[in-house]
Amino acid sequence: MSRRSGGFSLIELMVTLAILALLASVAVPFAQLVQQRHKETELRDALRQIRTALDAYRQSVKEGRVASPADGSGYPPDLDVLWQGVPDKTKPDASKLYFLRRLPRDPFFPDTAAPPAETWGLRSYATPPDAPSPGRDVFDVYSLSPATGLNGVPYREW
């Protein structure tokens, strides 16, 4: 009769390590996919917030609540106006109109120290949709990321 020791054999340990390595190799890409989906959701929400604020600003210009140059498009001159506020022309007490509580950042912008307004690409009202460029106003925003989303559409086109 041979006595067996109470530990694991080398083969049992190697099989266990191989199984753990296989599970880890499956989990890492899944975690990266979840992280990309989370950033895409943040991007979608940020674009919706900014675009809604741009439209609300334009509507306030049409209603005469916000001053705008006579030859202007009615859109804000920059993104910071949306959260810093503009004087309300209809109220004499110098109250301000705010269109955003804070300006969201582009989650795909690599420099986390950059101000939120610098993380977005700007499109002026006077530029065509296929060649957006900044100008006297901000008609639309887009991501500056060269990457492509999980849906196959580049983030710049969202």
Side-chain angles (χ1 to χ4, degrees):
M1 262 194 207
S2 72
R3 291 178 95 190
R4 182 161 182 195
S5 64
F8 294 106
S9 71
L10 181 61
I11 293 176
E12 290 171 332
L13 287 174
M14 295 301 287
V15 168
T16 303
L17 286 175
I19 290 171
L20 287 174
L22 179 67
L23 290 173
S25 68
V26 170
V28 168
F30 181 72
Q32 290 172 342
L33 180 68
V34 167
Q35 182 181 15
Q36 185 175 0
R37 274 201 187 125
H38 178 70
K39 281 187 170 185
E40 285 186 1
T41 301
E42 284 182 40
L43 176 63
R44 196 174 290 114
D45 289 342
L47 287 171
R48 184 177 301 116
Q49 286 178 18
I50 294 172
R51 289 173 175 161
T52 301
L54 290 171
D55 291 341
Y57 184 98
R58 176 90 154 75
Q59 185 63 34
S60 294
V61 169
K62 283 183 179 180
E63 293 170 355
R65 297 182 70 190
V66 175
S68 178
D71 62 342
S73 65
Y75 288 98
D78 57 47
L79 290 176
D80 288 328
V81 168
L82 299 174
W83 67 272
Q84 290 174 345
V86 292
D88 187 349
K89 288 183 6 181
T90 61
K91 297 189 178 174
D93 62 350
S95 63
K96 286 187 167 187
L97 290 172
Y98 297 93
F99 301 95
L100 287 173
R101 290 186 181 180
R102 66 172 183 81
L103 186 63
R105 303 178 54 78
D106 181 351
F108 289 101
F109 195 77
D111 183 10
T112 58
E118 293 178 13
T119 64
W120 298 103
L122 306 178
R123 177 180 167 219
S124 173
Y125 184 75
T127 61
D130 56 345
S133 63
R136 293 180 358 169
D137 58 11
V138 180
F139 172 69
D140 195 14
V141 293
Y142 59 91
S143 177
L144 296 172
S145 174
T148 301
L150 294 173
N151 61 359
V153 178
Y155 294 128
R156 296 178 69 94
E157 296 177 14
W158 281 28

